[in-house]
Amino acid sequence: MLKTNSVYFFDSVEFEEIIHYYIDSGKNALAKKAIKLGLKQHPNSIILKLLQAELLIFDDEFDAAGILLREIQAIEPTNDEVYVQQASIFSKRDNHKKAIDLLTIALAYTDEKADVLAMIGMEYLFLDDFDEARLNFAKCLEVDFEDYSSLYNVVYCFDMESKHQEAVDYLNKYIDKDPYSEVAWHQLGRQYFILEQYEEAARAFDYAIVIDEYFVGAYLEKAKTLEKLNQFEDAIENYKATLELDDATAFVFLRIGECYEKLEMYSLATQFYKKAVHEDPLLDKAWIVLTNLVLKQKKYNKALFYVNKALEIDENNTLYWRKYAEINLKLNYFEEAIEAFQRCITLQDYDIEIWVGLADVLCFLGDYEDALTNLLKAKTYFTDFAEIDYRLSGLYFKFKNFEKGAFYLKQALVIDFEYQTIFKELFIEVYQMESVQDIINEFKKTSS
């Protein structure tokens, strides 16, 4: 008919099948054409009008859809699909309570109770009412015990309220009725894992695997659980099992590498980390674990190469800049270390280690004025920290400002007397000054 522009007769059921085919294929323009032709031949067909309303809702033509649905409702007030579609309009307009009211009416007329209950559950999820959502998804399971989508949603509701023990109780009851549900065992294992009951979690994942030996998710979760139990060799075996069942992923290679690293099998760890970055060159975490691994082996140039890769991917990650600073200090690249500390501060990482590290490098390079400026900025964030006050004291003494030097030294001694050993290392000439020794000795006398 489309090719020849001829018109042939179809009954309304055939039109319905054609329209559903086009909708499922995403060819809405053709679906609309089929509806138009169908309604010409069957102007009173409720099914075709409902499909027309569905497409109007899809195109956000809510007012037109609402008018059409009210017309259908006047003809067939017990047609559940009318209320379902009206609920869809209110849901899209964020009026979820009204949508629930309409779906409750649909529930009274429908034969597909599980579908409508699931819709009601979703509306309650939009309202963040997890208790009501869970109750409706649970009712779906009473209608269709193998509705795993609803089972996942029940567990999701428990998760959102951090009711993990309640989730365990629910899943155990479910398993009592259906002990061969790999999905339920898998979800039970996840809940035990969250509760840090790792032995029980591993056992639950074992059952899921016994029921379905191709269940990739169960192998993955079991491997993560075995890591928590420090059973790294068994964890590796389970991760490797997923590689046989599914396409390789950078995540699995990364986890295997970390297990080998914990077993101190560094060569194998490196091999799998490299597989991870080969699989996904943009996985910055893999580049960082490689960085840390070669740092342990004091291969600083390699570490610098790897951390630069991570920074290329995420230049706003302050942890990477910290690592970059650490490596550059090992290589005596002080200017680069200063740049790294400054980037951390620019990115609002105001940890005391950053300020102190920056000040110490500046002092080492003889840039005392910048060191003092940065420590005074740090002082605005850390008011009573010996690490800062000792350094301020040392710098002020260097600048011959004995009053401020003495002031900060006295403050530092009160906060942490023992930290003066670091003060001695950093400012040996200041530490040996007679006036400084007098302050330290006086403090000893008065505090003893």
Side-chain angles (χ1 to χ4, degrees), residues 391-403:
R391 286 170 171 83
L392 282 171
S393 171
L395 287 167
Y396 276 120
F397 274 117
K398 271 188 173 293
F399 286 124
K400 310 291 188 208
N401 189 334
F402 301 115
E403 186 181 342

Side-chain angles (χ1 to χ4, degrees), residues 334-345:
F334 300 113
E335 296 294 339
E336 288 81 356
I338 288 169
E339 181 203 347
F341 287 131
Q342 287 171 337
R343 283 298 292 267
C344 288
I345 292 167

Side-chain angles (χ1 to χ4, degrees), residues 48-196:
L48 296 180
K49 286 181 179 180
L50 284 168
L51 285 167
Q52 185 180 24
E54 184 180 330
L55 282 171
L56 287 168
I57 293 168
F58 183 83
D59 290 337
D60 293 339
E61 294 180 36
F62 301 135
D63 292 336
I67 292 166
L68 182 56
L69 287 167
R70 284 192 291 277
E71 289 174 8
I72 300 168
Q73 186 180 358
I75 300 164
E76 286 193 9
T78 60
N79 189 317
D80 60 295
E81 187 62 26
V82 173
Y83 300 102
V84 167
Q85 293 206 26
Q86 286 176 332
S88 177
I89 293 170
F90 282 103
S91 181
K92 285 178 178 254
R93 285 176 162 164
D94 292 329
N95 189 344
H96 302 292
K97 288 182 178 177
K98 181 64 177 175
I100 290 166
D101 292 341
L102 288 161
L103 288 168
T104 304
I105 297 169
L107 193 62
Y109 299 128
T110 187
D111 293 327
E112 305 293 333
K113 294 198 180 294
D115 291 344
V116 177
L117 285 164
M119 290 178 204
I120 294 172
M122 290 306 297
E123 294 302 320
Y124 277 117
L125 282 184
F126 289 131
L127 293 168
D128 290 336
D129 188 341
F130 300 109
D131 278 332
E132 282 297 328
R134 176 171 48 78
L135 289 171
N136 279 279
F137 290 125
K139 286 176 186 174
C140 293
L141 288 164
E142 289 170 17
V143 177
D144 179 2
F145 199 68
E146 292 186 354
D147 179 1
Y148 290 139
S149 175
S150 290
L151 181 61
Y152 282 121
N153 282 323
V154 167
V155 176
Y156 172 78
C157 292
F158 280 124
D159 279 340
M160 292 304 292
E161 295 186 293
S162 298
K163 293 181 176 178
H164 303 297
Q165 187 55 55
E166 290 88 338
V168 166
D169 296 340
Y170 181 88
L171 287 163
N172 273 316
K173 285 176 187 172
Y174 185 94
I175 287 166
D176 285 342
K177 294 177 186 173
D178 183 7
Y180 296 103
S181 169
E182 71 277 18
V183 173
W185 280 111
H186 176 253
Q187 290 298 304
L188 180 62
R190 280 187 61 255
Q191 296 302 314
Y192 278 131
F193 185 92
I194 294 167
L195 291 167
E196 298 181 4

Side-chain angles (χ1 to χ4, degrees), residues 13 27 42 108 260 280 292 300 352 358 374 395 397 409:
V13 174
K27 297 175 180 176
H42 307 280
Y260 277 125
D280 182 1
N292 291 331
Y300 302 126
I352 192 165
L358 176 57
N374 279 286
L395 287 167
F397 274 117
L409 179 57

Side-chain angles (χ1 to χ4, degrees), residues 262-420:
K262 283 166 184 168
L263 291 168
E264 298 183 1
M265 299 170 75
Y266 299 128
S267 176
L268 282 167
T270 304
Q271 182 183 321
F272 277 92
Y273 289 152
K274 285 182 176 177
K275 284 184 179 182
V277 294
H278 178 75
E279 192 68 34
D280 182 1
L282 296 179
L283 183 63
D284 47 329
K285 189 182 176 186
W287 289 112
I288 281 297
V289 291
L290 264 172
T291 303
N292 291 331
L293 183 58
V294 294
L295 256 180
K296 281 183 187 176
Q297 299 163 317
K298 299 184 178 178
K299 297 175 180 176
Y300 302 126
N301 284 309
K302 273 192 176 180
L304 186 60
F305 173 78
Y306 292 140
V307 79
N308 271 315
K309 286 286 188 183
L311 282 167
E312 284 172 20
I313 298 161
D314 185 3
E315 63 177 11
N316 294 322
N317 191 314
T318 59
L319 294 176
Y320 299 171
W321 282 111
R322 286 186 186 210
K323 191 64 63 180
Y324 181 77
E326 178 190 344
I327 295 163
N328 278 295
L329 286 174
K330 296 285 186 187
L331 291 165
N332 294 329
Y333 298 161
F334 300 113
E335 296 294 339
E336 288 81 356
I338 288 169
E339 181 203 347
F341 287 131
Q342 287 171 337
R343 283 298 292 267
C344 288
I345 292 167
T346 303
L347 292 166
Q348 299 184 328
D349 182 357
Y350 298 140
D351 191 279
I352 192 165
E353 288 181 10
I354 304 295
W355 295 101
V356 166
L358 176 57
D360 287 350
V361 178
L362 288 168
C363 285
F364 181 80
L365 294 175
D367 197 346
Y368 299 117
E369 286 187 12
D370 278 354
L372 181 62
T373 302
N374 279 286
L375 284 168
L376 288 170
K377 282 182 190 172
K379 186 72 178 161
T380 62
Y381 300 102
F382 304 96
T383 50
D384 294 314
F385 279 76
E387 297 96 316
I388 293 170
D389 287 349
Y390 275 117
R391 286 170 171 83
L392 282 171
S393 171
L395 287 167
Y396 276 120
F397 274 117
K398 271 188 173 293
F399 286 124
K400 310 291 188 208
N401 189 334
F402 301 115
E403 186 181 342
K404 283 192 174 180
F407 171 76
Y408 282 112
L409 179 57
K410 287 172 184 175
Q411 277 201 164
L413 289 166
V414 170
I415 298 164
D416 187 346
F417 181 78
E418 299 302 324
Y419 196 84
Q420 65 171 289

